[in-house]
Amino acid sequence: MASSPKPTPKKVSRSATCLCGAVAVTVTGVDKGAVICHCANCQRSSGSSFAHNYRFLDADITFDKGQDAVTRYEDGNTVNGNVLARHFCKVCGSNVFLQPSTPARMWILHTGGMQDKTQPSRELFTHNKHPWIGDVAASKPKL
């Protein structure tokens, strides 16, 4: 019996802006959903207890405006040792998007700058989660 071909993953587009509006981007790719990341670097970068991120695979990013207003920080002090390029607005300092060195063509938007907010489906690096935070995605698997 021949197996049926896997359906082609649906690509979606999401847009985000920085606080001052100098930077606007659109990412189009395979929807991997929103996550809460509790890693120490996301805590430091966000200035909070976690970062709320939206992930895309096999994705492309388009600058709707402000490419020259983006500063890139190469974060090599990650748990897995892979470089994570953190992009933020050099005018207002807002985190806008991230690009891991692997997998290729993965982009991550910070959900705070997105027009449509999405509930997270997973929590990452829960071993680093502050003990006073409840389950953000209680019914979903955790890494």
Side-chain angles (χ1 to χ4, degrees):
M1 181 171 177
S3 64
S4 58
K6 290 184 181 180
T8 303
K10 183 179 178 189
K11 289 195 173 191
V12 298
S13 293
R14 300 274 192 263
S15 297
T17 61
C18 66
L19 179 62
C20 72
V23 178
V25 298
T26 299
V27 176
T28 301
V30 175
D31 184 350
K32 295 303 285 180
V35 297
I36 297 292
C37 184
H38 297 280
C39 79
N41 291 13
C42 277
Q43 289 173 348
R44 288 183 195 110
S45 175
S46 70
S48 183
S49 300
F50 55 82
H52 185 188
N53 299 323
Y54 200 95
R55 304 164 305 148
F56 302 84
L57 287 178
D58 191 28
D60 295 301
I61 190 167
T62 303
F63 281 87
D64 302 314
K65 68 176 180 176
Q67 185 170 2
D68 58 334
V70 172
T71 296
R72 175 182 172 126
Y73 172 70
E74 299 282 333
D75 182 359
N77 188 27
T78 60
V79 172
N80 63 11
N82 292 331
V83 173
L84 180 62
R86 297 177 179 274
H87 298 81
F88 56 95
C89 175
K90 63 184 173 186
V91 177
C92 66
S94 296
N95 292 310
V96 182
F97 61 93
L98 304 99
Q99 185 184 30
S101 56
T102 59
R105 295 195 56 211
M106 180 177 193
W107 292 92
I108 302 166
L109 286 179
H110 289 286
T111 61
M114 291 173 52
Q115 287 75 22
D116 53 334
K117 307 298 187 232
T118 304
Q119 182 172 345
S121 60
R122 300 179 79 178
E123 293 183 69
L124 309 176
F125 300 99
T126 56
H127 64 278
N128 205 45
K129 183 177 179 177
H130 293 288
W132 48 265
I133 297 176
D135 281 340
V136 177
S139 64
K140 304 297 179 180
K142 296 180 172 124
L143 296 181

